[in-house]
Amino acid sequence: MKNVLVVGSLNLDLVCQVKYHPKTGETIFGSDLKQYPGGKGANQAVAAASLGGRVQMLGSVGHDDSGKMLLENLRSSGVEVKDIKVSRDVATGTALISVNEEGDNSIIVIPGANNTADISYIRQNTNVIDSSDIVLLQMEIPMESVNYVVEEAYKRRKIIIVNPAPAQMISDEVLKMIDYLTPNESELELLSGRVCSTDEEVVSAAQVLRSKGVKNLIVTLGDKGALFMNSNETRFINGHKVKAVDTTAAGDCFNGAFAVALSEGKNVEDAIRFANKAASISVTRVGAQSSMPLREELV
């Protein structure tokens, strides 16, 4: 099994249930306010470790109770955390999440200590990149840090997976270094500049990114599955229809599971099917890391 390094964010998620998401200027009542360990990076690390992966994480938390709780949850999930930065000057990142009756979410992220996962911190930990085989990133840490990790991992010939969430533009130069880019439909729209309301439009937008040098593109499509495109093929891979309770971190679960599947030597199609199954289980539960399935649940 190959070593998976996740470089990314750690947040405390504050989650409430709402009947529907409010319009601009509207006040509504919520219920069941709870807190969960979250952050896209930490979510993906927990997803990978819960499925049996050998996982280490780089990122930053504050020197506070929230940071301690996030680190302890990662440890208990089997993630190596010894090189995660603890910042004494900035609070741990926080995400405010509302979940409606259909299980769809709306999220506001306050980055906090995640912004201190800067290039100087990454530079101090390039040995961790050296010892990894697969590097998985998202975009809740500074974009210059993401770019730097991609460049360093590329120099070292690591397998690079980038989940471009929350959606931000990526330079063509960096896109060419990425082995697997995993946007959802809205992220694909931003990166390609194309509307993605139909399957045909998704394929057309994906072709735009392929023309920019993306080697392997995986567009996650919720319960419809995923589109996989590279120089040899374009195909839709079916997902799993389930009753969604909370879609928070479904994409993170997909990415963590996909990294584990690759670490075990699965081919890309089988890795996507494995990740689709894991994500379909995660949406039937409330919370981010608390919703991640164990390996035996995917048998």
Side-chain angles (χ1 to χ4, degrees):
M1 178 184 292
K2 295 179 178 178
N3 297 323
V4 176
L5 169 63
V6 180
V7 184
S9 58
L10 301 96
N11 292 323
L12 178 68
D13 289 350
L14 300 178
V15 183
C16 74
Q17 305 297 313
V18 294
K19 187 171 184 180
Y20 59 91
H21 296 302
K23 301 179 181 129
T24 301
E26 181 181 16
T27 299
I28 65 173
F29 288 104
S31 62
D32 297 329
L33 178 64
K34 295 180 181 177
Q35 63 180 31
Y36 299 97
K40 286 187 175 298
N43 294 345
Q44 293 179 10
V46 169
S50 296
L51 292 167
R54 197 158 54 220
V55 185
Q56 182 164 358
M57 184 170 179
L58 292 178
S60 181
V61 296
H63 188 258
D64 49 33
D65 289 342
S66 296
K68 291 175 185 175
M69 187 262 275
L70 296 181
L71 292 179
E72 180 52 38
N73 191 71
L74 286 171
R75 285 191 200 96
S76 65
S77 299
V79 179
E80 174 58 68
V81 301
K82 64 183 177 63
D83 294 305
I84 290 178
K85 179 179 180 180
V86 179
S87 175
R88 292 185 173 273
D89 302 318
V90 188
T92 297
T94 304
L96 310 177
I97 304 173
S98 61
V99 181
N100 69 13
E101 290 183 336
E102 285 72 47
D104 296 321
N105 60 53
S106 178
I107 304 174
I108 299 171
V109 175
I110 301 96
N114 291 305
N115 282 340
T116 69
D118 52 20
I119 289 177
S120 64
Y121 162 68
I122 301 298
R123 191 175 287 124
Q124 293 165 17
N125 290 281
T126 53
N127 63 302
V128 182
I129 300 176
D130 287 331
S131 63
S132 69
D133 301 294
I134 297 172
V135 179
L136 172 58
L137 301 109
Q138 333 71 37
M139 297 187 175
E140 284 183 340
I141 61 173
M143 194 64 202
E144 56 266 26
S145 299
V146 173
N147 292 339
Y148 182 74
V149 172
V150 170
E151 291 165 3
E152 292 301 307
Y154 182 77
K155 288 177 191 174
R156 292 162 170 79
R157 299 183 180 181
K158 308 302 180 181
I159 297 170
I160 303 168
I161 306 169
V162 175
N163 175 220
Q168 297 182 58
M169 294 304 296
I170 305 173
S171 72
D172 291 357
E173 184 178 25
V174 171
L175 283 174
K176 291 173 184 175
M177 300 180 196
I178 297 168
D179 294 292
Y180 298 94
L181 187 71
T182 63
N184 63 19
E185 289 162 287
S186 64
E187 291 149 8
L188 178 62
E189 285 189 347
L190 177 86
L191 292 169
S192 67
R194 300 285 185 89
V195 174
C196 296
S197 56
T198 66
D199 287 349
E200 292 75 16
E201 289 172 342
V202 168
V203 170
S204 178
Q207 289 168 338
V208 171
L209 292 188
R210 279 278 305 130
S211 72
K212 293 176 180 287
V214 174
K215 300 181 188 74
N216 297 280
L217 184 66
I218 301 167
V219 184
T220 56
L221 304 168
D223 61 10
K224 292 189 294 183
L227 168 71
F228 173 58
M229 179 184 290
N230 64 12
S231 60
N232 299 317
E233 62 179 317
T234 297
R235 63 183 305 173
F236 286 92
I237 297 173
N238 290 335
H240 301 265
K241 292 190 180 296
V242 297
K243 172 63 176 174
V245 172
D246 180 2
T247 58
T248 304
D252 297 332
C253 183
F254 179 97
N255 280 275
F258 180 72
V260 168
L262 289 184
S263 79
E264 296 175 347
K266 286 184 169 60
N267 63 42
V268 176
E269 181 176 341
D270 287 344
I272 292 172
R273 293 188 188 282
F274 181 81
N276 278 339
K277 180 69 179 296
S280 74
I281 295 172
S282 75
V283 301
T284 65
R285 303 165 179 170
V286 175
Q289 293 169 34
S290 58
S291 71
M292 300 305 175
L294 300 175
R295 185 57 177 255
E296 51 266 31
E297 296 180 85
L298 271 72
V299 176

